[in-house]
Amino acid sequence: MNLSFSEQFFSDREVGRRDVDAAASVAAHHGGGMGAKRAVDADGQGRQLAHTLAGLIWCCLPQDQPELHFHKLKDGELDSKDAPPRLVLDTSATHQTIAGFGGAFTQAAAQNYMSLSEDDRAELMHLYFGKPEDGGHGYTMGRVPINSCDFAPFSYNFDNKTDDKELKHFDDSVKQDVDNGMVPMIKAAQAKIKERDMELSLLASPWSPPGWMKLPGPEGVKSMVTSAKPNGLDPDYQRPWAKYMSRWIDAYKAHGIGVWGVTVQNEPEATAGWESMLYTPSFMASFVKEHLGPVLKVGSIETRDVASHSMNAVRWISPCIKAIRYDFSQD
């Protein structure tokens, strides 16, 4: 398979596998393996885009495909009838703006990060968030769970007092995230990105609220790791849950960590034995319009967008995207 790119960053020089680590992680995550042995030699955004494309391409192809080749288009090559199939990247036409590239900050990652020596922690931060021209991936974005997620050693939240609608027992220090390394890891990433005169854009997503805010699950138990159908959130706790999310954002801000955006729920169609909560599109839209949007608008959040995250994004979001998206410029 021949992949051709009209991209000014690209050259014909072939580089080793180490340069496609980002693509490898994407491909491995999606179960497609990583068979590409060649990548584009690029810098900055061109290099990041090449890595991402390589991973996505290879995760969708049989592993016995021939090696990928990247090169600049030659005059007339695009119009040749004998040319093999190719994917053309045309940077002369501008459409959407890419906000950035990044990865997830999870409790499991933090636990591993804290187990490293200081030198190894510094090297890890450099590889992910350092300048691409110096061997880093140049990440500027990150995703962080509100409460525990499926990549956590155990389930936890920051107000486990049943029926505490006023959140009098909310832990504004988010001590668990400090102790498990989440806060130190994110602050280290911030510092590394600031060396490039850039800022970390942090996207926050909840997997589940405290169990006492939810309807009983399949076993009749209110739990973070189960969900009632079709909606897991108790309607009586919509406003407390919205305020909880706002308090969590404020708590992180007190640690010097600003939040760029939030999603209402991680995978609102999935419940699989770990932290989760189901939503229908209409219930989520109502929750955002009547509760989460107004609460965040008067809070200290720096974002202007509240969005949804779904495994089946197009099928699930399309019918209600206008309702789910909250416009902070309107009352």
Side-chain angles (χ1 to χ4, degrees):
M1 184 176 185
N2 183 23
L3 300 174
S4 303
F5 294 81
S6 57
E7 165 58 66
Q8 63 178 350
F9 291 112
F10 297 173
S11 75
D12 295 323
R13 184 161 61 88
E14 298 168 358
V15 294
R17 187 184 179 105
R18 184 185 177 199
D19 252 358
V20 293
D21 284 343
S25 65
V26 173
H29 176 71
H30 288 278
M34 186 61 198
K37 296 184 177 67
R38 303 177 186 227
V40 73
D41 181 26
D43 59 14
Q45 294 179 345
R47 177 179 174 182
Q48 291 175 320
L49 185 56
H51 288 174
T52 302
L53 285 170
L56 292 175
I57 291 164
W58 271 92
C59 78
C60 298
L61 293 176
Q63 295 189 29
D64 60 352
Q65 289 288 326
E67 296 178 356
L68 300 181
H69 298 274
F70 298 83
H71 66 271
K72 290 182 180 179
L73 283 175
K74 300 176 182 178
D75 291 341
E77 184 178 357
L78 186 60
D79 299 324
S80 174
K81 296 180 180 180
D82 298 326
R86 80 277 309 283
L87 176 65
V88 178
L89 177 62
D90 183 2
T91 58
S92 65
T94 302
H95 300 283
Q96 296 165 317
T97 300
I98 297 176
F101 295 87
F105 296 100
T106 67
Q107 293 87 0
Q111 181 173 304
N112 287 317
Y113 171 76
M114 296 302 290
S115 71
L116 299 175
S117 67
E118 289 189 13
D119 288 345
D120 285 342
R121 291 182 194 176
E123 177 67 8
L124 183 68
M125 288 295 113
H126 170 73
L127 291 174
Y128 277 111
F129 305 101
K131 296 179 180 180
E133 55 267 35
D134 293 337
H137 285 326
Y139 283 179
T140 58
M141 302 191 74
R143 188 179 184 216
V144 58
I146 299 174
N147 299 332
S148 57
C149 70
D150 50 342
F151 282 86
F154 55 88
S155 296
Y156 67 88
N157 62 75
F158 299 100
D159 188 344
N160 211 28
K161 184 70 173 178
T162 301
D163 297 331
D164 183 20
K165 288 188 174 183
E166 300 301 320
L167 303 180
K168 295 180 180 179
H169 298 274
F170 185 90
D171 178 14
D172 292 296
S173 71
V174 287
K175 184 176 184 298
Q176 182 61 48
D177 279 1
V178 174
D179 293 346
N180 65 22
M182 288 282 289
V183 169
M185 179 174 60
I186 294 171
K187 291 182 70 68
Q190 282 183 316
K192 191 64 183 179
I193 293 171
K194 285 184 177 180
E195 292 179 5
R196 299 156 51 203
D197 295 322
M198 303 182 75
E199 298 290 334
L200 172 66
S201 295
L202 200 62
L203 178 68
S205 300
W207 268 242
S208 174
W212 53 267
M213 291 188 181
K214 301 169 71 174
L215 294 170
E219 304 298 326
V221 177
K222 297 182 177 182
S223 170
M224 291 182 67
V225 298
T226 62
S227 177
K229 297 179 180 180
N231 295 296
L233 182 62
D234 188 329
D236 292 338
Y237 287 93
Q238 292 181 88
R239 185 55 62 115
W241 178 225
K243 290 182 177 179
Y244 183 109
M245 293 174 67
S246 181
R247 285 279 289 272
W248 181 92
I249 291 167
D250 288 340
Y252 260 63
K253 189 173 183 179
H255 284 286
I257 301 172
V259 173
W260 169 79
V262 296
T263 66
V264 186
Q265 172 65 36
N266 173 73
E267 298 175 0
E269 289 184 306
T271 177
W274 51 75
E275 291 85 345
S276 61
M277 187 164 70
L278 300 177
Y279 279 91
T280 61
S282 59
F283 185 74
M284 179 180 285
S286 175
F287 171 64
V288 172
K289 181 178 180 180
E290 303 297 333
H291 299 283
L292 184 59
V295 168
L296 295 183
K297 184 176 181 180
V298 300
S300 59
I301 189 170
E302 299 166 6
T303 184
R304 280 299 183 234
D305 285 329
V306 178
S308 170
H309 168 235
S310 175
M311 292 175 65
N312 303 304
V314 175
R315 179 179 66 81
W316 194 87
I317 296 177
S318 293
C320 62
I321 186 66
K322 292 182 179 179
I324 289 178
R325 193 175 179 88
Y326 186 85
D327 186 350
F328 282 84
S329 66
Q330 303 295 325
D331 290 329

